[in-house]
Amino acid sequence: MFTNTTTTAPYRGAGRPEANYMLERVVDEAARVTGIDPVRLRRRNFIKPKQMPYKTAVGTTIDSGEFEALLDKALALADTDGFKKRRREAGKRGKYRGLGISCMLEHAGGFPLEGTALTFPGGEKLVLGLNVQSTGQGHATVFIPMLAQRLGIKPQQIEHRQGDSAMEIAGYASVGSRSAMTVSHALIKTIEAMLAKGKTIAATVLEAADADIEYRDGRFGVVGTDRSISLFELAVRAAELKKCGEIAENLDTKVNAETPLTFPNGSHIAEVEIDPASGALALVGYSAVDDCGNALSPMIVEGQTHGSIAQGLGQAMLEHAIFDNSGGQLITGSFMDYALPRADDLPAFQDALHLVPAKTNPLGVKGAGEAGTTAAIAALMNAVADAIPGGAGAHLDMPVTPEKIWAACRKAGQK
């Protein structure tokens, strides 16, 4: 069989955006049909913090989350109290204004096994070996400072290597928002194992009992004395001792860890303005409050959040592969036609974190890389549905093009 259409594969979120999209559209439709305020309807159905850990009907256990607190922060960030005034002002200009809410809960992880390796090639250098590869997630930016801080050494003394099968490090791909939680867990265990070996070797080198050795600020020392040896000096001595058969292992250490799923969550609010005469859609505001557990690098989390929101909004507003009806010829021949979101399609995002540590890994980390996409598509589409009077926009499908919006506005005007 041959086809002229493109193959499909998991997109950012890989199923979570679609599931959350259906659920949040249904919640808004239920609110519209029953007359119950959409915020109040969501509050009724939130899992409360006192119910954690919460076991779902399908057997999944959600370990942590403060869902109502997130929504409250998002409502304040979006200035929803002032929305009615903004809607009236838009109406005076002949425009429709709408507000859309999307409360998101996803599972992150997927593949629990990941390993890390610490190796000492010589000199004052430490190699951090990872199986999982960065494809823009900023692994070196996150894990090198984390390792340096815990060992009391300079980040410049650490080299990051990834994805080399010769290192024989167990693990899986950088998918499912799993990298931060699985690598940080494995790295903590690897550091602990390396330091435990180091104390035993240092006791031999410094002629002291194991119990009298402490590690601080990059040095092993004998408690209560000035006798000490640096981490890198000990690594050299350990390699020599192993070579001559006096010890079984040097300081090179490799450890695997199994990390259970985590449950990132958030509340996102989109505000749109529509020109009913042309169907033109303007996204005039976007606010997001997310819980990714403890953030190893707030800068990276913010970048991941902005990027994933943009991807979700692109899917909702613009992106569409169109084929003609005669021969199946692809009409959207470039990204300009497809079309990816541009800078002027998006407002400045208002985003904040509400961090509730996960209870399933030592640093309390949850996933972060796909949360924005999971939440954004429903927030945008619910805002469009809210903007067009009489429920005429409640059943529009993505991408919500000006043509679709114009037709829905015409329908609303005829009622």
Side-chain angles (χ1 to χ4, degrees):
M1 293 177 62
F2 295 90
T3 177
N4 66 311
T5 60
T6 56
T7 57
T8 60
Y11 190 52
R12 192 167 185 165
R16 281 109 80 183
E18 292 78 11
N20 191 75
Y21 174 72
M22 290 188 287
L23 179 60
E24 286 297 283
R25 292 299 302 274
V26 166
V27 170
D28 258 35
E29 180 66 2
R32 187 181 71 83
V33 171
T34 62
I36 301 172
D37 179 78
V39 173
R40 183 178 302 170
L41 186 57
R42 285 173 170 84
R43 290 190 195 279
R44 284 187 187 180
N45 290 279
F46 281 143
I47 302 166
K48 308 300 181 186
K50 65 182 180 181
Q51 295 176 277
M52 300 293 183
Y54 183 87
K55 188 173 183 178
T56 71
V58 296
T60 303
T61 299
I62 302 169
D63 65 284
S64 60
E66 297 175 357
F67 309 134
E68 192 165 9
L70 259 76
L71 177 58
D72 288 338
K73 282 190 175 182
L75 293 170
L77 202 61
D79 185 24
T80 53
D81 289 342
F83 173 70
K84 289 183 179 179
K85 180 181 178 181
R86 296 193 295 274
R87 175 176 263 178
R88 287 195 300 270
E89 291 173 348
K92 292 176 182 178
R93 293 182 280 109
K95 305 291 179 66
Y96 295 156
R97 197 99 168 188
L99 196 73
I101 299 172
S102 176
C103 294
M104 175 276 299
L105 174 69
E106 60 164 335
H107 70 267
F111 301 90
L113 178 67
E114 196 64 37
T116 60
L118 300 177
T119 55
F120 295 84
E124 295 198 344
K125 177 170 282 191
L126 172 60
V127 175
L128 168 60
L130 302 181
N131 170 82
V132 66
Q133 297 188 57
S134 175
T135 54
Q137 292 86 352
H139 291 174
T141 304
V142 174
F143 299 123
I144 286 179
M146 173 184 163
L147 176 59
Q149 181 181 26
R150 289 183 174 269
L151 293 181
I153 63 177
K154 298 176 182 178
Q156 294 83 356
Q157 295 174 292
I158 301 172
E159 177 185 338
H160 167 241
R161 292 182 187 170
Q162 61 178 359
D164 183 352
S165 60
M167 295 189 295
E168 297 183 343
I169 302 172
Y172 196 72
S174 187
V175 297
S177 301
R178 64 184 296 275
S179 300
M181 51 188 273
T182 57
V183 172
S184 65
H185 186 187
L187 185 54
I188 291 295
K189 293 181 68 173
T190 306
I191 293 170
E192 291 173 348
M194 186 271 289
L195 292 179
K197 286 196 300 181
K199 288 181 179 181
T200 300
I201 299 169
T204 299
V205 172
L206 298 173
E207 299 180 343
D210 287 16
D212 292 333
I213 300 295
E214 66 175 359
Y215 182 83
R216 182 183 300 172
D217 299 329
R219 301 187 71 85
F220 293 92
V222 181
V223 177
T225 75
D226 60 357
R227 287 186 293 150
S228 68
I229 185 171
S230 78
L231 172 64
F232 296 105
E233 290 171 332
L234 186 66
V236 173
R237 291 292 303 274
E240 294 171 350
L241 291 171
K242 181 184 178 184
K243 188 175 181 179
C244 64
E246 293 188 33
I247 60 175
E249 291 187 74
N250 57 19
L251 279 192
D252 292 352
T253 307
K254 186 188 303 179
V255 176
N256 298 334
E258 295 267 351
T259 307
L261 292 175
T262 62
F263 296 89
N265 56 92
S267 291
H268 290 215
I269 300 176
E271 186 168 337
V272 301
E273 188 170 281
I274 289 171
D275 181 357
S278 65
L281 170 67
L283 178 61
V284 294
Y286 196 96
S287 303
V289 179
D290 287 287
D291 170 19
C292 64
N294 287 328
L296 299 180
S297 170
M299 177 190 70
I300 291 290
V301 170
E302 184 177 38
Q304 291 273 17
T305 301
H306 285 198
S308 58
I309 290 172
Q311 283 194 254
L313 294 174
Q315 179 180 344
M317 295 190 298
L318 300 165
E319 299 177 31
H320 198 192
I322 301 173
F323 298 84
D324 69 19
N325 294 324
S326 57
Q329 177 66 37
L330 180 64
I331 298 173
T332 48
S334 73
F335 282 139
M336 292 295 291
D337 304 314
Y338 174 64
L340 297 175
R342 291 88 160 171
D344 61 355
D345 292 316
L346 306 175
F349 298 144
Q350 301 267 35
D351 59 293
L353 296 175
H354 181 89
L355 305 181
V356 182
K359 298 178 180 178
T360 54
N361 61 76
L363 295 184
V365 178
K366 300 175 184 176
E370 294 160 297
T373 304
T374 303
I377 55 178
L380 187 284
M381 295 300 290
N382 282 342
V384 171
D386 181 60
I388 302 174
H395 302 290
L396 292 177
D397 292 326
M398 298 184 288
V400 61
T401 60
E403 179 188 11
K404 293 178 183 178
I405 292 174
W406 178 82
C409 291
R410 292 272 295 174
K411 182 178 178 181
Q414 292 169 1
K415 287 187 177 181

